[in-house]
Amino acid sequence: LVDALRARVSQHPDRNALVFLSGDGAAAHFTYGQLDRDARRYAGLLRANGVPQGDLVIIACEHGYELAAAFWGTLYCGAVPTIFPYRDATGSGEARQRRMTGLAAFTAAQALLCPTEAQAEVTGWLAGLATRALSLAEEAEPLAEALLSPRGGEEIAYIQFSSGTTGQTKGVMLSHRAVLANVEAFLTAAHFDEQDVGVSWLPFYHDMGLLTEVFQPLFAGALSVSMAPAAWIRRPQMLFSAVTRYRGTMTWMPNFAFNHCLRTIRDEHLAGLDLSSWRILGNGSEPVQPATLQRFAERFAPWG
């Protein structure tokens, strides 16, 4: 995975790779070169704190650039990342604590990366466990080129946890080779290349979000435009505005999200928008309802 990303970094270091939209529509742009530099800084942070190659690293922070850069940094130093659901305002603190400590104990990870403002609280939660909470803002020297030690092939790239909505949460070990095969198959079948633009609100701890926002666009040399799931839920028209603004070509989401758009987006939200650049609308991760797709197509046809 690291080789695939760094090939794009070497070709287009100054090209925008990631755009993150805030709830008010403000955009933060990050190039391939910047992503590479920040990933090496996070790799340096983990190495400085004694995280060995092959060890599991938990990443628990809000949806945004730091999460993506920390994920890549973990891969850069040869550790195995896993993204936990974000520490957000939903649910009780007690429920978040149970979820965090339960999975930390289960995985026996040595390090957990989190925002500075959450470090003290999380450290308290992890008392008695081997896992240490490290701040994403901690200063560290970027790991030198010669010291990068990514894994590959059949070795584990990262661990993807299931949602736990239909049973016990399960950790799935995904190899570099398996993920690369998945991405290559999609890029080939969809003719997705560096002219394309992915637009999404899916969380990175969800497998569909990680693949369609962090892997597929970056490996194609394309642009990935992302917004926080909570912001999209409140204002689903953000997705349509972003498609128009960035000429988005690909979006994936579960069936319920198509219904959410149908229920909440009104004509006045769509004034001046042009959705004609969309060519791939993926529906998955839960049962797909053809009637939903038919209603969606008919409802938004006047905007392209």
Side-chain angles (χ1 to χ4, degrees), residues 19-21 25-29 197-199 223 225 241-249 277:
V19 175
F20 286 89
L21 303 176
H29 298 75
V197 177
V199 180
L223 178 67
V225 180
S241 297
V243 168
T244 298
R245 180 176 177 182
Y246 293 96
R247 306 310 297 147
T249 61
S277 62

Side-chain angles (χ1 to χ4, degrees), residues 4-29:
L5 174 64
R6 300 202 86 220
R8 291 300 181 182
V9 171
S10 65
Q11 294 166 0
H12 308 294
D14 299 323
R15 175 180 291 177
N16 280 333
L18 299 166
V19 175
F20 286 89
L21 303 176
S22 64
D24 62 3
H29 298 75

Side-chain angles (χ1 to χ4, degrees), residues 204-218:
F204 291 163
Y205 62 77
H206 192 290
D207 58 332
M208 186 191 286
L210 193 60
L211 283 162
T212 63
E213 293 177 79
V214 177
F215 291 143
Q216 290 171 358
L218 294 184

Side-chain angles (χ1 to χ4, degrees), residues 172-192:
V172 180
M173 298 180 291
L174 295 166
S175 72
H176 286 261
R177 191 182 306 280
V179 177
L180 286 168
N182 179 299
V183 174
E184 182 179 6
F186 169 82
L187 298 182
T188 300
H191 305 288
F192 193 87

